[in-house]
Amino acid sequence: TGGGNEALINGGYLKHGTTLKSYTVEREFDDLTNKFIVHKGMRVSDLSFSAQAGAIVTGSCNFAGKAPLAIAAATAGSGAYSASAGVNNEVINGIDHVQGIYVSNDDTVVTTAVTYTVSQIDLTLSSPNRPIEGLGTLGPVAIGGNTLSVSGNLRVYADDTAIALFSDVVNFTEKQLLFRFQDTAGNMYCFFLPQVQFVSTDGPNASGRDSDVALNIGFVAEYDSTTSSLVTITKIAA
């Protein structure tokens, strides 16, 4: 509850766009003298994220770009690796740092969303890069961009509230999905999918005797005209 003069300051956010961005990725071999492998024109092709109960939250990203080159000096503008302040931050896990997983009806204020007991959530952003080949050139001469797709999976324990999600799958009900993680110092990442479709489930099932009944729900993000996005990832510093 605030007094009317509060401000929420975020440290930046990621939202897909149309501007193509390329990176140079360089590896230096410290036990050798001036030996580097450089990858230029690298573009991110997919980003994945996974959170499970009792495990460290993990993620990965893949790149595609031009053929690597062996060089004898660091690329201009790169330089030796130096650890950032982020290495001192706490590693996020699926127990201490989960701030909530919310599902609400499409266009409903997230604060009125329902929370569920979730054991796992996975998210994948995929925009497979298209290598453009040319005669007389080793490796691609350019990297073309493809359509972005956002999909994931939600594993929910089937209690009195969560069982209704099965009907959402059957009825193709559009939903909003929001989940966030915050370390002890207050650093937070917030994932917001303003419009998703629950597209698949094997129904309320247990893996066997003496096991819990759960819903494994696959979802895909749709373009939301209000936010002009499929997904927004926001970083909020402590």
Side-chain angles (χ1 to χ4, degrees):
T1 302
N5 60 347
E6 291 74 27
L8 179 64
I9 301 174
N10 70 69
Y13 66 89
L14 296 174
K15 187 167 72 170
H16 64 85
T18 57
T19 302
L20 297 177
K21 295 185 178 182
S22 300
Y23 301 87
T24 295
V25 179
E26 186 173 88
R27 292 181 289 168
E28 177 184 3
F29 299 90
D30 281 341
D31 55 337
L32 304 176
T33 303
N34 295 326
K35 299 299 180 184
F36 302 84
I37 301 293
V38 62
H39 305 256
K40 291 188 175 182
M42 302 295 285
R43 288 183 177 160
V44 179
S45 58
D46 62 72
L47 176 70
S48 63
F49 169 90
S50 180
Q52 300 182 40
I56 291 174
V57 176
T58 60
S60 65
C61 64
N62 291 321
F63 292 86
K66 298 184 67 175
L69 296 173
I71 56 178
T75 304
S78 61
Y81 168 80
S82 60
S84 67
V87 299
N88 299 317
N89 290 339
E90 192 174 8
V91 175
I92 294 176
N93 64 62
I95 298 177
D96 303 308
H97 306 130
V98 179
Q99 292 295 302
I101 298 174
Y102 305 89
V103 178
S104 67
N105 289 330
D106 183 38
D107 297 327
T108 300
V109 179
V110 175
T111 53
T112 64
V114 179
T115 59
Y116 296 93
T117 303
V118 177
S119 63
Q120 182 174 344
I121 186 166
D122 303 303
L123 183 66
T124 299
L125 287 73
S126 179
S127 180
N129 292 310
R130 185 175 65 257
I132 300 172
E133 308 289 345
L135 291 173
T137 302
L138 175 63
V141 297
I143 299 293
N146 286 342
T147 303
L148 174 70
S149 64
V150 179
S151 61
N153 186 77
L154 193 66
R155 189 174 189 272
V156 184
Y157 289 111
D159 55 23
D160 285 345
T161 302
I163 199 71
L165 293 175
F166 179 73
S167 297
D168 291 328
V169 178
V170 175
N171 296 324
F172 303 102
T173 306
E174 292 182 340
K175 293 288 195 178
Q176 288 184 342
L177 178 62
L178 182 144
F179 52 98
R180 61 179 187 246
F181 302 88
Q182 180 174 308
D183 66 15
T184 304
N187 300 295
M188 180 188 294
Y189 277 100
C190 181
F191 298 77
F192 178 51
L193 290 80
Q195 189 167 301
V196 300
Q197 282 268 350
F198 291 152
V199 295
S200 64
T201 182
D202 52 4
N205 279 307
S207 58
R209 292 182 61 184
D210 302 321
S211 61
D212 297 305
V213 177
L215 283 163
N216 287 301
I217 301 172
F219 61 85
V220 295
E222 298 176 336
Y223 179 77
D224 176 66
S225 59
T226 302
T227 60
S228 301
S229 69
L230 280 80
V231 59
T232 301
I233 304 173
T234 304
K235 179 176 69 174
I236 301 174

